[in-house]
């Protein structure tokens, strides 16, 4: 359910999932609290064939303590395109907080560190969305960012 909400917010935030995009690289690496997981895309689309592949079970999982950052490492195939990080978290009382989003457009950034504002905040979901810039008319003024792949980390809070 959280994943669907994040996907909807990605679309509303400027990246639209499309059936015509380059295939995403196979894995994004998430590192947090001394643990690492490599994650395949939940969904990726091929621009030439207009075919999309979904893998609903591809989300990575890590047990992370409140206040701990999450480091993201992306391969060059993502770093060389615009990409977006979306973070869902709750405060120390368990209340949902506003999504944190950051769009990376430098075309040479391979890493990103997710932090929360307060040390008792608990990260719940971290998603990476890769984008391609496409124009239906071929004119630059008609170009828009289109999501080509999405990777997700689902955080499991520590056992009480």
């Amino acid at each position: 359910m959280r994943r669907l909400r994040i996907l909807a917010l990605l679309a509303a935030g400027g990246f639209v999932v499309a059936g015509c995009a380059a295939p995403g690289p196979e894995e994004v690496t998430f590192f947090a609290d001394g643990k690492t997981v490599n994650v395949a895309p939940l969904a990726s689309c091929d621009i030439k064939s207009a075919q999309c592949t979904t893998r609903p079970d591809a989300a990575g999982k890590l047990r992370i303590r409140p206040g701990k950052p999450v480091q993201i490492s992306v391969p060059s195939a993502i770093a060389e395109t615009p990409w977006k990080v979306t973070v869902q978290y709750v405060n120390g009382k368990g209340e949902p907080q506003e999504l944190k989003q950051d769009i990376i457009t430098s075309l040479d950034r391979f890493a990103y560190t997710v932090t929360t504002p307060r040390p008792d905040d608990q990260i719940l979901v971290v998603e990476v969305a890769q984008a391609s810039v496409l124009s239906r008319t071929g004119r630059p003024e008609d170009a828009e960012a289109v999501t080509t792949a999405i990777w997700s980390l689902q955080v499991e809070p520590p056992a009480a």
Side-chain angles (χ1 to χ4, degrees), residues 18-24 44-53 148:
C20 53
S44 59
C45 300
D46 182 299
I47 215 169
K48 293 177 183 160
S49 68
Q51 297 294 313
C52 292
T53 303
T148 57

Side-chain angles (χ1 to χ4, degrees), residues 1-13 15-17 42-43 84 86 99 127-129 147 149-152:
M1 184 61 114
R2 282 185 278 205
R3 198 171 25 220
L4 293 175
R5 194 172 8 184
I6 295 290
L7 290 173
L9 289 166
L10 283 172
F15 288 170
V16 180
V17 176
L42 289 174
K84 181 179 187 176
T86 303
L99 291 177
E127 296 212 345
V128 172
T147 298
I150 298 173
W151 295 260
S152 181

Side-chain angles (χ1 to χ4, degrees), residues 113-138:
T113 301
V114 174
T115 59
T116 58
R118 291 169 300 281
D120 61 344
D121 292 340
Q122 176 69 60
I123 294 173
L124 300 175
V125 178
V126 178
E127 296 212 345
V128 172
Q130 179 185 28
S132 290
V133 179
L134 301 176
S135 171
R136 290 181 186 16
T137 64

Side-chain angles (χ1 to χ4, degrees), residues 73-84:
S73 177
V74 300
S76 60
I78 296 176
E80 294 169 355
T81 66
W83 53 291
K84 181 179 187 176

Side-chain angles (χ1 to χ4, degrees), residues 102-114:
D102 199 2
I103 297 174
I104 293 85
T105 59
S106 64
L107 306 182
D108 65 353
R109 189 164 171 189
F110 293 84
Y112 184 92
T113 301
V114 174

